[in-house]
């Protein structure tokens, strides 16, 4: 039998417990479902100095010191995240160890804001990466060499994997199991854990509407355009040209376009397209309407315009999006 793959989780004080326990349960469940007498994975939990490490929910996890861990045979390193992730980035010894461990490991991963530690070690320079949506701009500002992406749940760039916030770590772990043992086992693990079967990395990690609302709340005082995105979302099937939107706002088109960009950080056309793609995505995930019907209902006009919009935003056409993300029919599962 092959030796177990060693998966090392790197923790710090006030890490998110689910960043650790979610992926750990994926690997342990994979072991259980294979039925093999020898485990496929060996899980170890590390921190800068070892001992009990507290998490944000109050759960304390016993860890071993990084410095005393033998890097020989390390398969996968997973650096977890948490609201205090900025603090360990200033621990020069820990960051140096993460760099050495990455060179020894077959693959290096981060969950949520764990990406900040990988970036501090220089492991994300020139690479595509993702983190929790609320920390994207901070990661970009602090580490401009990193090609930070906003939407994906997880990203693989060579032997480095990064994932978005919290539960996205489960999606990442499922992807790692699939890479190791195939899709059948990965899907079996997802079913056993009663999680989505299973989200691919290209699915957006949060809604465009939430992003807009968050940006408005963090922005300047009311500009007269603050509720326009809500009106647009309720009228996606209508003509939403700049001229009509400007008339609704009581402004000349050029003035409207300028003020809109100031308030929403994108053009009117970009926001309209994003909201249409998001609405169409929900239809594809949850309903049985044809792509043509969805295109008309969401204001694209025809399937080809909707396909081009999906390729720009999602990187895949609507039909492929439905194949990946359509929710399965609800069924009753009774454990044997």
């Amino acid at each position: 039998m092959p030796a177990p793959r060693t998966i090392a989780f790197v923790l710090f004080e006030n890490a998110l417990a689910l960043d650790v326990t979610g992926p750990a349960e994926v690997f342990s469940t994979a072991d259980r479902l294979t039925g093999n007498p020898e485990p496929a994975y060996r899980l170890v939990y590390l921190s800068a100095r070892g001992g009990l490490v507290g998490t944000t929910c109050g759960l304390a996890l016993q860890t071993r010191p990084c410095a005393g861990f033998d890097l020989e045979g390390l398969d996968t390193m997973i650096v977890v995240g948490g609201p205090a992730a900025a603090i360990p980035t200033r621990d020069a010894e820990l960051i140096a160890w993460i760099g050495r461990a990455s060179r020894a490991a077959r693959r290096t991963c981060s969950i949520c804001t764990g990406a900040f530690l990988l970036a501090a070690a220089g492991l994300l320079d020139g690479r595509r990466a993702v983190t929790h949506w609320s920390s994207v701009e901070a990661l970009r500002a602090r580490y401009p060499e990193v090609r930070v992406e906003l939407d994906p749940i997880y990203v693989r760039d060579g032997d480095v994997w990064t994932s978005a916030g919290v539960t996205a770590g489960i999606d990442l772990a499922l992807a790692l199991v699939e890479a190791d043992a195939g899709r059948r086992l990965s899907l079996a693990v997802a079913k056993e854990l009663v999680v989505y079967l299973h989200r691919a990395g290209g699915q957006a990690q949060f809604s465009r509407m939430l992003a807009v609302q968050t940006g408005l709340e963090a922005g300047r005082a009311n500009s007269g355009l603050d509720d326009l995105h809500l009106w647009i979302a309720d009228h996606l099937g209508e003509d939403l040209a700049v001229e009509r939107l400007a008339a609704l706002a009581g402004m000349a088109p050029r003035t409207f376009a300028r003020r809109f960009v100031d308030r929403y950080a994108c053009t009117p056309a970009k926001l309209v397209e994003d909201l249409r793609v998001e609405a169409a995505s929900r239809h594809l995930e949850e309903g049985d309407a044809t792509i043509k019907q969805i295109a008309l209902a969401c204001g694209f006009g025809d399937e080809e315009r909707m396909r081009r919009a999906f390729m720009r935003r999602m990187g895949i056409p609507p039909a492929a999006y439905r194949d990946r993300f359509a929710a399965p029919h609800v069924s009753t599962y009774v454990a044997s």
Side-chain angles (χ1 to χ4, degrees):
M1 294 289 293
R5 301 179 189 271
T6 298
I7 311 288
F9 289 89
V10 180
L11 289 70
F12 51 85
E13 194 67 28
N14 283 324
L16 281 167
L18 192 55
D19 282 6
V20 185
T21 58
E25 288 297 341
V26 169
F27 296 120
S28 63
T29 300
D31 273 341
R32 189 169 69 253
L33 292 181
T34 60
N36 294 328
E38 295 296 326
Y41 296 105
R42 168 179 170 253
L43 307 182
V44 296
Y45 306 93
L46 308 174
S47 65
R49 290 159 188 80
L52 285 175
V53 172
T55 63
T56 54
C57 68
L59 176 69
L61 300 173
Q62 185 66 41
T63 65
R64 298 161 56 181
C66 290
F69 178 71
D70 185 0
L71 293 177
E72 185 176 353
L74 174 61
D75 181 85
T76 303
M77 174 175 62
I78 300 178
V79 180
V80 305
I87 296 174
T89 63
R90 299 192 289 269
D91 186 331
E93 290 184 9
L94 174 62
I95 297 304
W97 183 89
I98 288 174
R100 293 195 301 273
S102 180
R103 291 190 291 274
R106 179 170 65 97
R107 58 194 177 194
T108 297
C109 309
S110 67
I111 297 171
C112 196
T113 52
F116 282 78
L117 280 74
L118 297 191
L123 300 175
L124 300 183
D125 289 356
R127 295 184 186 271
R128 297 168 57 237
V130 69
T131 187
H132 191 282
W133 64 266
S134 66
S135 298
V136 164
E137 292 306 322
L139 186 62
R140 284 174 175 164
R142 187 169 179 184
Y143 303 102
E145 311 86 359
V146 183
R147 295 158 53 196
V148 186
E149 300 194 4
L150 177 62
D151 282 339
I153 292 172
Y154 60 84
V155 167
R156 178 184 183 181
D157 191 327
D159 58 357
V160 177
W161 304 59
T162 54
S163 73
V166 197
T167 59
I170 295 174
D171 298 288
L172 173 64
L174 288 167
L176 296 177
V177 169
E178 180 174 336
D180 293 340
R183 183 169 176 79
R184 177 174 294 183
L185 179 59
S186 177
L187 291 177
V189 171
K191 183 176 181 180
E192 181 72 11
L193 296 178
V194 198
V195 298
Y196 199 97
L197 296 180
H198 65 82
R199 299 185 296 177
Q203 193 176 26
Q205 63 164 304
F206 73 105
S207 78
R208 185 68 169 95
M209 185 65 76
L210 175 60
V212 168
Q213 196 62 48
T214 302
L216 292 177
E217 290 171 357
R220 298 190 303 272
N222 192 294
S223 66
L225 297 176
D226 290 1
D227 294 329
L228 185 58
H229 64 290
L230 300 175
W231 186 92
I232 291 172
D234 286 337
H235 297 82
L236 292 176
E238 301 178 15
D239 174 20
L240 298 177
V242 169
E243 292 75 14
R244 185 184 183 199
L245 297 177
L248 286 169
M251 302 178 190
R254 292 182 63 180
T255 301
F256 168 79
R258 183 177 67 254
R259 291 186 180 178
F260 189 97
V261 172
D262 287 343
R263 193 63 179 130
Y264 287 95
C266 68
T267 65
K270 178 66 166 63
L271 180 60
V272 168
E273 180 175 282
D274 284 352
L275 293 179
R276 281 175 169 159
V277 168
E278 185 166 288
S281 299
R282 290 195 298 271
H283 284 295
L284 292 168
E285 293 170 13
E286 301 168 3
D288 297 324
T290 67
I291 291 176
K292 181 177 181 179
Q293 290 170 332
I294 294 171
L296 291 172
C298 295
F300 290 104
D302 58 59
E303 294 177 64
E304 179 56 24
R305 286 183 61 193
M306 178 168 152
R307 188 192 71 80
R308 292 197 299 267
F310 263 71
M311 293 301 297
R312 282 190 293 269
R313 176 83 193 275
M314 304 292 194
I316 56 175
Y321 186 93
R322 170 169 270 170
D323 287 343
R324 291 189 188 184
F325 304 126
H329 293 296
V330 177
S331 60
T332 302
Y333 174 74
V334 179
S336 57

